């Protein structure tokens, strides 16, 4: 079995990086806005309209990075983005590999005093554990755990995504599940408990996390509404007899506070620099590169679901650059790439993050270099003109998002 199949499986639905292009002169009257500093962000200089980055060191460049940029490059390319940078003094290029998880440590955490059945997948050497109420799947860089408790609450939560998942068209958890704390434990205490488990697994995470309180009342309502929506869709499509909308799920008729749980979305770090959560495909080779993602569901019974993917560990340092390109230089490069090919796309940079991005450097699909990069979230509007029956042009518009990674050392796009 090749590592290619393994990487393709773990990546799942990797996002495709679009080549977004347009033409137009640069707006020399652009303004960089620096709002009040948000928690966890580095401070930006005040008293100037334009930020002049001090490139004498990595630390000073990042400290001098504005927290928000508003700029118009052309009628088809602009920036309206919050900027997130870590507070670090260096940004080494790291040699890294998929993290191997300690099997015995996992058993002591999830199956203490129990004897689950062990097997080995013939597909990709994944280690499988299972008992009457849970499963555990282990592979390098990947970890999956789930219990019967989670199976019962999966249907009313399965169609929602985290706010950080900028590419999904599904509703965000925060749009529906708005409760702050749950009765069995405050969210701050739950976060501390789950973070301690991740520390025990030697996984480095950022201090903050996306947290959603999943309460029984909202789950009940969402389950009933989702079932009705699916029935209505089938009726509209003329499907008869109506198929069970919960087919493949285990459900409960009535949820109680015993079913309440928190969902945590964590961001991984290496040397205090976040690792991108976004996966992508190298265009030249179709090789899939996994971003690092971690989701944990926690109830009064402990962790009921855990999913890690693309988790890396450092092997060494490949290079220690003395300085980096500024965020303004990265945006200029993005504009040039966008402007290279004529297109009708209207692009807005909506978020900018300084993060590590995995890049291949050999034929081993388990090994990568982690490159410091300016990660740009792009929102685009695409217009397609098609001939109509009367001979005129029929314009159809669509919207979406994609990523552009700019190497913070070379200034080149990672693709």
């Amino acid at each position: 079995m090749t590592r290619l199949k393994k990487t393709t499986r773990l990546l799942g639905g990797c996002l495709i990086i679009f080549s977004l292009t347009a033409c137009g002169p640069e707006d020399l009257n652009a303004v960089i806005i620096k709002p009040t500093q948000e928690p966890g962000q580095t401070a930006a200089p005040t008293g100037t309209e334009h930020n002049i980055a001090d490139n004498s060191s990595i630390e000073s460049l990042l400290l001098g990075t504005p927290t928000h940029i508003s700029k118009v490059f052309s009628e088809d390319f602009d920036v309206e983005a919050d900027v997130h940078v870590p507070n670090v003094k260096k940004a080494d290029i790291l040699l890294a590999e998929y993290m191997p998880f300690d099997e015995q440590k996992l058993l002591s955490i999830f199956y203490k005093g129990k004897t689950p059945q062990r097997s080995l997948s013939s597909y990709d050497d994944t280690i499988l554990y299972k008992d009457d109420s849970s499963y555990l799947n282990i592979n390098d860089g990947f970890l999956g755990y789930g219990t019967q408790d989670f199976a019962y609450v999966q249907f009313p939560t399965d169609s929602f995504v985290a706010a950080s998942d900028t590419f999904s068209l599904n509703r965000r958890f925060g749009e529906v599940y708005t409760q702050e704390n749950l009765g069995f434990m405050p969210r701050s205490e739950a976060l501390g408990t789950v973070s301690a488990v991740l520390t025990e697994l030697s996984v480095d995470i950022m201090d903050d996390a996306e947290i959603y309180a999943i309460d029984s009342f909202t789950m009940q309502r969402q389950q009933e509404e989702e079932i009705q929506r699916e029935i209505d869709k089938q009726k509209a499509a003329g499907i008869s007899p109506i198929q069970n909308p919960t087919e493949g799920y285990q459900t409960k008729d009535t949820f109680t506070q015993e079913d309440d749980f928190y969902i945590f979305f964590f961001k991984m770090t290496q040397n205090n620099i976040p690792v991108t959560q976004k996966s992508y495909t190298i265009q030249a080779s179709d090789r899939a590169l996994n971003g690092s993602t971690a989701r944990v569901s926690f109830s009064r019974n402990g962790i009921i679901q855990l999913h890690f993917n693309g988790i890396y560990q450092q092997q060494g340092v490949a290079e220690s650059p003395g300085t980096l390109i500024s965020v303004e230089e990265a945006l200029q490069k993005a504009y040039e790439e966008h402007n290279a090919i004529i297109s009708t796309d209207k692009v807005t940079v909506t978020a900018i993050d300084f993060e590590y991005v995995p890049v291949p450097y050999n034929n081993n699909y388990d090994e990568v270099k982690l490159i410091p990069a300016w990660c740009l979230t792009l929102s685009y509007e695409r217009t397609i003109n098609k001939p109509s029956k009367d001979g005129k042009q029929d314009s159809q518009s669509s919207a979406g998002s994609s990523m552009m990674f700019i190497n913070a050392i070379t200034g080149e796009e990672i693709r």
Side-chain angles (χ1 to χ4, degrees):
M1 182 60 223
T2 66
R3 286 293 185 184
L4 174 59
K5 290 185 178 180
K6 171 187 171 183
T7 304
T8 302
R9 178 183 66 82
L10 296 185
L11 178 61
C14 68
L15 64 97
I16 304 298
I17 303 300
F18 293 94
S19 296
L20 303 173
T21 57
C23 299
E26 181 175 355
D27 181 0
L28 301 179
N29 297 316
V31 177
I32 295 177
I33 303 173
K34 295 181 274 296
T36 303
Q37 191 70 26
E38 296 181 7
Q41 291 182 321
T42 56
T46 59
T48 59
E49 182 181 13
H50 292 269
N51 176 69
I52 306 300
D54 177 4
N55 293 1
S56 60
S57 71
I58 290 174
E59 181 181 25
S60 60
L61 182 143
L62 294 176
L63 285 172
T65 299
T67 58
H68 187 90
I69 296 179
S70 179
K71 182 172 183 177
V72 177
F73 281 84
S74 74
E75 62 180 7
D76 293 323
F77 190 94
D78 61 15
V79 183
E80 195 65 56
D82 287 339
V83 186
H84 306 97
V85 298
N87 187 3
V88 294
K89 295 183 178 181
K90 61 179 183 177
D92 295 335
I93 296 178
L94 303 180
L95 299 172
E97 65 179 357
Y98 281 137
M99 174 181 283
F101 291 100
D102 187 322
E103 189 175 342
Q104 295 307 312
K105 173 66 71 175
L106 290 168
L107 290 175
S108 69
I109 292 173
F110 296 115
Y111 290 100
K112 188 174 182 179
K114 300 179 181 180
T115 55
Q117 182 179 357
R118 185 185 189 276
S119 61
L120 190 66
S121 168
S122 59
Y123 176 74
D124 59 2
D125 296 330
T126 296
I127 299 170
L128 311 172
Y129 281 96
K130 187 175 182 180
D131 65 9
D132 293 338
S133 61
S134 66
Y135 68 87
L136 174 65
N137 298 339
I138 311 167
N139 209 323
D140 291 350
F142 173 83
L143 194 61
Y145 173 74
T147 69
Q148 187 65 55
D149 287 345
F150 181 75
Y152 285 131
V153 298
Q154 188 170 0
F155 181 78
T157 59
D158 219 22
S159 61
F160 295 92
V161 297
S164 56
D165 188 351
T166 55
F167 304 109
S168 174
L169 298 178
N170 289 3
R171 287 180 296 172
R172 274 50 181 164
F173 280 106
E175 296 174 6
V176 175
Y177 291 96
T178 58
Q179 193 162 315
E180 183 71 13
N181 292 296
L182 298 171
F184 74 90
M185 185 181 290
R187 70 166 53 200
S188 58
E189 185 177 343
L191 174 60
T193 302
V194 172
S195 297
V197 174
L198 270 58
T199 298
E200 194 173 355
L201 292 175
S202 301
V203 175
D204 292 330
I205 57 174
M206 293 190 66
D207 292 336
D208 58 348
E210 285 187 58
I211 308 173
Y212 302 98
I214 311 300
D215 64 287
S216 58
F217 177 81
T218 307
M219 275 195 289
Q220 188 75 50
R221 186 180 64 202
Q222 287 304 310
Q223 178 166 288
E224 293 169 357
E225 291 179 358
E226 182 64 20
I227 289 174
Q228 190 59 52
R229 277 193 295 268
E230 290 302 315
I231 290 175
D232 292 343
K233 287 179 183 178
Q234 292 185 47
K235 288 181 177 179
I239 297 175
S240 181
I242 297 297
Q243 305 298 309
N244 180 7
T246 64
E247 184 70 32
Y249 290 92
Q250 299 183 46
T251 58
K252 298 183 68 172
D253 292 333
T254 304
F255 293 103
T256 70
Q257 289 186 355
E258 296 295 315
D259 301 306
D260 290 354
F261 68 104
Y262 290 100
I263 300 179
F264 300 90
F265 293 90
F266 294 95
K267 180 167 281 192
M268 303 293 105
T269 67
Q270 290 287 339
N271 298 342
N272 296 318
I273 297 177
V275 179
T276 185
Q277 295 175 303
K278 302 300 189 294
S279 299
Y280 72 103
T281 299
I282 296 292
Q283 296 177 5
S285 63
D286 288 334
R287 176 171 169 177
L289 277 299
N290 286 334
S292 295
T293 59
R295 169 176 168 160
V296 182
S297 298
F298 179 81
S299 76
R300 65 184 70 243
N301 296 322
I303 292 176
I304 58 174
Q305 184 263 352
L306 179 149
H307 186 271
F308 290 171
N309 193 38
I311 309 301
Y312 300 97
Q313 71 174 11
Q314 180 179 339
Q315 292 179 296
V317 175
E319 183 181 339
S320 297
T323 188
L324 306 169
I325 68 166
S326 67
V327 65
E328 292 85 0
E329 292 172 301
L331 289 171
Q332 180 63 35
K333 176 63 176 180
Y335 170 65
E336 292 170 0
E337 292 291 330
H338 167 82
N339 199 38
I341 303 174
I342 297 175
S343 171
T344 59
D345 293 347
K346 168 68 170 65
V347 176
T348 299
V349 181
T350 58
I352 304 171
D353 296 273
F354 185 87
E355 298 176 323
Y356 273 128
V357 173
V359 173
Y361 70 98
N362 60 25
N363 293 326
N364 187 336
Y365 277 51
D366 285 351
E367 295 182 342
V368 297
K369 286 183 179 180
L370 294 177
I371 306 292
W374 293 104
C375 302
L376 312 181
T377 302
L378 308 178
S379 174
Y380 63 86
E381 297 176 8
R382 179 167 295 167
T383 301
I384 301 176
N385 295 319
K386 295 183 177 180
S388 60
K389 293 181 180 180
D390 58 8
K392 297 180 180 180
Q393 290 290 328
D394 181 21
S395 296
Q396 298 179 352
S397 298
S398 62
S401 298
S402 65
M403 292 296 298
M404 180 179 287
F405 304 118
I406 304 297
N407 187 316
I409 299 170
T410 66
E412 296 302 312
E413 182 182 0
I414 298 172
R415 57 184 176 182

